[in-house]
């Protein structure tokens, strides 16, 4: 019996896969626990429409991430921190401070978890920071660290 899986199942496959299962296993385990449905022509069509919809949403998210990355390339933010002895930075700039400064200066939000700092910014000057907007898209943001 052909079954369309409705959820990931360790020994059977991933959601949306079409598997071949014995009649008894399908009727007594898969169908009652709603792990899958029988692969009728109607259910196959629903699966095809669902996959098309998911592909469309994924493409829209990717396009939005690419647009945001292009916008980030044109912008820069200024973060001010205190200076210690000898003109050295007192403390460092965190992803939280970068996200807050970006929202304040450009009225756009970036999740602080998406900002990737190789190590904390402890020196004054201009730094290029990577922002992971999508698994396939990484934008660059210019951060100017100035003395307060």
């Amino acid at each position: 019996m052909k079954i369309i899986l409705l959820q990931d199942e360790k020994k059977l496959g991933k959601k949306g896969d079409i598997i071949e299962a014995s009649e008894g296993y399908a009727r007594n385990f898969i169908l009652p626990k709603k792990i899958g449905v029988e692969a009728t022509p109607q259910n196959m069509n629903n699966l095809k429409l669902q996959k098309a919809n998911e592909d469309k949403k994924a493409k829209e998210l990717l396009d939005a991430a690419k647009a945001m990355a292009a916008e980030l390339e044109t912008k820069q933010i200024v973060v001010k921190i205190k200076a210690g002895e000898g003109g050295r930075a007192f403390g460092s700039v965190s992803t939280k401070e970068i996200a807050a400064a970006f929202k304040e200066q450009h009225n756009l939000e970036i999740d602080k978890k998406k900002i990737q700092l190789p190590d904390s910014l402890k020196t004054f000057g201009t730094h290029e920071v990577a922002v992971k907007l999508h698994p396939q898209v990484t934008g660059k943001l210019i951060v100017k660290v100035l003395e307060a």
Side-chain angles (χ1 to χ4, degrees):
M1 172 182 271
K2 288 193 184 272
I3 301 289
I4 300 172
L5 294 178
L6 297 176
Q7 62 191 31
D8 292 352
E9 189 65 30
K10 201 173 202 175
K11 294 179 182 173
L12 297 176
K14 299 218 177 265
K15 179 181 177 180
D17 287 352
I18 299 170
I19 61 163
E20 186 69 40
S22 68
E23 188 88 18
Y25 186 62
R27 296 248 180 259
N28 294 322
F29 182 75
I30 296 174
L31 297 177
K33 292 197 179 212
K34 300 198 183 334
I35 295 171
V37 293
E38 194 172 347
T40 62
Q42 181 182 1
N43 287 340
M44 295 290 281
N45 192 33
N46 288 345
L47 175 68
K48 196 183 304 178
L49 292 173
Q50 228 174 8
K51 283 190 177 183
N53 191 24
E54 288 172 3
D55 290 345
K56 181 182 173 188
K57 284 182 182 178
K59 186 177 182 326
E60 288 174 358
L61 286 174
L62 180 63
D63 291 343
K66 285 181 180 177
M68 182 68 167
E71 191 173 336
L72 283 179
E73 300 282 333
T74 63
K75 298 189 185 298
Q76 68 179 13
I77 62 168
V78 177
V79 179
K80 295 183 179 184
I81 59 173
K82 291 181 183 178
E85 293 179 22
R88 293 179 49 202
F90 185 75
S92 64
V93 178
S94 68
T95 58
K96 184 179 180 181
E97 292 168 329
I98 293 172
F102 190 78
K103 180 175 175 148
E104 180 183 309
Q105 294 172 20
H106 298 290
N107 289 331
L108 291 172
E109 285 204 32
I110 295 179
D111 187 8
K112 69 179 181 179
K113 296 173 189 160
K114 293 182 179 183
I115 299 172
Q116 299 176 325
L117 290 176
D119 50 335
S120 56
L121 304 178
K122 294 184 179 183
T123 58
F124 296 113
T126 304
H127 303 279
E128 194 171 273
V129 176
V131 181
K132 185 102 170 159
L133 300 167
H134 187 272
Q136 300 170 0
V137 179
T138 302
K140 300 282 184 206
L141 177 64
I142 305 295
V143 178
K144 280 189 175 180
V145 181
L146 300 177
E147 191 174 329

